[in-house]
Every structure is written in C-alpha cells, then in structure tokens.
Amino acid sequence: MNSINPIDLHRDALVWDMVIPTLDLGAEEQKYASLSRMAANGCNFVSLTVAVDWDGLDDTIGNIARERAYFLANSDKYHLVETVEDILTAKQQNKLAVSFHFQGTNPIEYDLNMVETYYKLGVRHMLMAYNTKNAVGDGCYELGDGGLSRLGVRLIEEMNRVGMIADGSHTGYRTTMEMFEVSKDPVIFSHSNPHAICEHSRNIRDDQIQACAASGGVIGITGVSLFLGDHQASTNSVINNIKYISDLVGPQHVGLGLDYIADQQALAQKIDSMTAWTPPGDAFEFQPQETVKYFQPEQLPELTESLLKCDYSESDIRGFLGENWLRVASQVWK
C-alpha cells in the first residue's frame, strides 16, 4: 500500500484536462464557474473547445477572439498558453493555464494556411472529424468507414510542421488508423474510452489504442457516463478505464480528457437542434438527459487518492494526472 499523502501529491502534481467543451452552452457565468471549480480542485491546465465541425471560419475566429479577450481580461486567474513553460509558470503562480482546440477540422474551410494562424491564436490540437464525414475523413458515426482524404493527409502534414497535435477522438476507425501512418508526431485520442469496457461507437478498439501508443500518443479518459459503462460517472469507473489502457499499452499512454459539461439542459437543446451530428439510436438525444452523468471537478482529489489505493507508483499517477500530456506537448508544440 502506498504511504504517499494523497493531498500532498494532488497539490504538487500537474493536473491536466485535455477537453472542456465550453462553447456557448448555457450562461456565460456558469461556463466560467466550471473553470473555477476545476482550479479549486487542483486542476492546473485545461484545453477548451472553441469550435466544432459545424463552425465555419467566421464563427470560429469570433469564438477565439471572445475567449481570448475574457482570459486576458482576467489574467489574475488565468494564463493563456503559448509554450509548455507557460503551463509550469501558471502552476507556480496559482493560475489556471488555458489553451484551445477544435472538435473537427471544418473551421479551416479547406485553407491549410489557417492551421498556423489558429496555432498562433492558441489552438493546440484538432480532431479530424466530429462524428460525421467531412472533407478530411469519416466520423465515428458514419455508415461507412472511409479513410483520410488527400486533404486530410496534407492537413496532418501541416499540423506536424506547425506543432499542432492531431486528435482521433470522434473520428472513424479507418481514418484514425491512417492518421497514425501519416503523422510523424504522436497522435492522441483527447477524450475516448476503451470499446472493450463500453461498446459505444464513440469508444476506441484495442488496435486503435495500441497504434496510438506506438505513435507516442496518449488516450484521455472521458468522464461521461455514456462512454464509461457506468451510469453514475463514478471515480471507480474512470479508474477502471485508466487501468484497462494502462495494462494494454503502459501507464505512460493514459491521461484525462474529462469532457465536463456544466449545463446539461443547454447541451440537450443544442443537440436537439443539430441531429445530423448525432445519429438515431446512438447519441445523446435518445438518452434521457437526467441519466447522463459527468465526472465532476470535485472528484479530482478523490481520483488521486483512489489511484494511490490501487497501488500505482507516484510516477504513474503523476503521468495519468498530467505529465503524460506534458510529454506529448513538449514533443509536438513549437
């Protein structure tokens, strides 16, 4: 049994959540209150969704401008990230480090020049497709299983050049497997759980997990009950998913991508209006919203304590909480 003090370890560790889908779901004060809750419970870095595949260039630029303005105006609490060193500095200053990502590639609007522009504005990773087919590849809910398009290949090459991480979450099986073949840098699944634990189209199969690990990437465990195989989004269910991937490919390839939504009612209304992105029988709108649970920010200290009880080493736990993501960012970001 570990003799390490879980409170001290949680306070000292780098805690990194790769996915918080803020978007425009619910009241602004509720959205930012969720970030305060993350910080209050030991989180040091968050990556925020600022655009999805249904967002074009104009909306995306507006979203980024609005978010940057907010965080710059509240620099006493937040630190907009440009480098890996910024994250460590923010932790020392007791600020929440923030960067951005896209859930889909439509925001580039076929213009590869936008990759570097978005990178300079704080976008550090981008998943290829959000559930359905786009110009880059197939999403995980498509009827077929097409791979990367020629544009998709060129996009990943440009992301490698710029330093933006390629992300396979929400993306179709064949498209993800071809991502690993094309990318010279580690490829990640920012928020995907093992299909072997929960047989959902959003979850990933063992060979996807193994290919991700072989690339040097990390799989972020999402805390959404639909994908955990647990109706309560319990801490134990998150640990079960961590353990499965760790046993399969090693603890250095597991992180957190909790996908926490502060306002479920606003999410339900958004999804109801955009059924093309969530097909019948396999998505949120066919699941009563009151039964969709999310791992809460207040569970983060419990997660560290529970991992210690599982007898993981301190190094492994620090990796799960954030250092594995830090390794990938250090390797890819420029």
Side-chain angles (χ1 to χ4, degrees):
M1 180 68 68
N2 268 305
S3 60
I4 303 166
N5 185 305
I7 297 175
D8 292 341
L9 175 57
H10 191 73
R11 183 186 302 115
D12 186 64
L14 176 67
V15 181
W16 180 313
D17 185 354
M18 202 58 154
V19 178
I20 296 187
T22 48
L23 298 171
D24 288 324
L25 297 172
E28 181 178 282
E29 58 269 20
Q30 188 171 10
K31 174 172 72 173
Y32 295 120
S34 68
L35 300 187
S36 296
R37 289 171 60 198
M38 293 294 290
N41 286 281
C43 189
N44 308 117
F45 172 88
V46 292
S47 180
L48 307 182
T49 308
V50 291
V52 188
D53 255 347
W54 54 74
D55 292 311
L57 192 151
D58 289 348
D59 287 339
T60 299
I61 291 293
N63 293 346
I64 294 173
R66 182 179 64 249
E67 298 296 342
R68 286 183 63 86
Y70 176 84
F71 292 116
L72 290 171
N74 291 274
S75 59
D76 58 322
K77 296 186 295 184
Y78 302 105
H79 189 120
L80 274 177
V81 166
E82 293 186 1
T83 67
V84 167
E85 288 72 24
D86 287 339
I87 298 171
L88 304 178
T89 298
K91 180 173 174 57
Q92 292 172 353
Q93 296 176 348
N94 200 29
K95 296 179 181 180
L96 182 63
V98 176
S99 74
F100 305 136
H101 66 267
F102 296 159
Q103 296 206 36
T105 50
N106 281 338
I108 69 169
E109 289 195 353
Y110 296 88
D111 186 354
L112 296 178
N113 293 322
M114 290 306 302
V115 176
E116 185 166 12
T117 298
Y118 284 138
Y119 185 86
K120 290 182 180 299
L121 291 173
V123 178
R124 290 295 180 266
H125 64 101
M126 178 165 55
L127 59 85
M128 294 298 104
Y130 185 85
N131 294 348
T132 63
K133 182 191 295 290
N134 61 19
V136 165
D138 276 1
C140 63
Y141 287 152
E142 274 300 338
L143 297 175
D145 189 25
L148 278 175
S149 68
R150 289 181 180 178
L151 175 63
V153 171
R154 293 180 61 200
L155 174 63
I156 290 176
E157 291 171 346
E158 179 65 5
M159 292 171 72
N160 287 171
R161 186 189 72 81
V162 166
M164 190 182 294
I165 301 171
D167 182 352
S169 287
H170 283 277
T171 302
Y173 171 84
R174 181 180 165 193
T175 303
T176 65
M177 297 304 279
E178 292 182 359
M179 290 169 64
F180 300 118
E181 295 176 8
V182 172
S183 181
K184 296 178 180 178
D185 289 333
V187 173
I188 68 169
F189 289 100
S190 61
H191 57 307
S192 296
N193 293 347
H195 190 271
I197 289 182
C198 179
E199 294 183 3
H200 193 286
S201 298
R202 266 279 287 112
N203 286 342
I204 55 176
R205 300 180 184 273
D206 285 2
D207 56 348
Q208 291 173 286
I209 295 170
Q210 291 165 330
C212 178
S215 81
V218 170
I219 298 96
I221 301 302
T222 176
V224 181
S225 62
L226 288 177
F227 315 134
L228 281 167
D230 168 29
H231 295 306
Q232 299 304 314
S234 68
T235 300
N236 281 340
S237 66
V238 171
I239 290 175
N240 287 340
N241 282 262
I242 289 173
K243 185 178 187 304
Y244 184 89
I245 296 175
S246 179
D247 288 348
L248 183 65
V249 294
Q252 68 272 30
H253 299 294
V254 192
L256 301 178
L258 295 172
D259 207 13
Y260 174 68
I261 296 287
D263 191 334
Q264 288 181 245
Q265 184 176 2
L267 174 65
Q269 292 171 348
K270 182 76 170 178
I271 289 174
D272 285 344
S273 69
M274 308 196 78
T275 55
W277 302 94
T278 49
D282 204 6
F284 285 95
E285 75 270 26
F286 291 90
Q287 181 84 15
Q289 284 301 307
E290 63 271 14
T291 70
V292 181
K293 305 296 183 183
Y294 294 84
F295 183 95
Q296 299 292 310
E298 290 74 19
Q299 290 173 253
L300 283 169
E302 180 187 28
L303 177 63
T304 299
E305 182 176 5
S306 297
L307 286 168
L308 277 169
K309 291 178 180 177
C310 293
D311 218 27
Y312 283 110
S313 70
E314 179 179 349
S315 175
D316 288 347
I317 294 171
R318 287 178 180 271
F320 298 150
L321 293 176
E323 288 187 6
N324 291 337
W325 288 129
L326 182 69
R327 182 189 71 247
V328 173
S330 299
Q331 184 173 343
V332 180
W333 292 2
K334 296 180 179 177

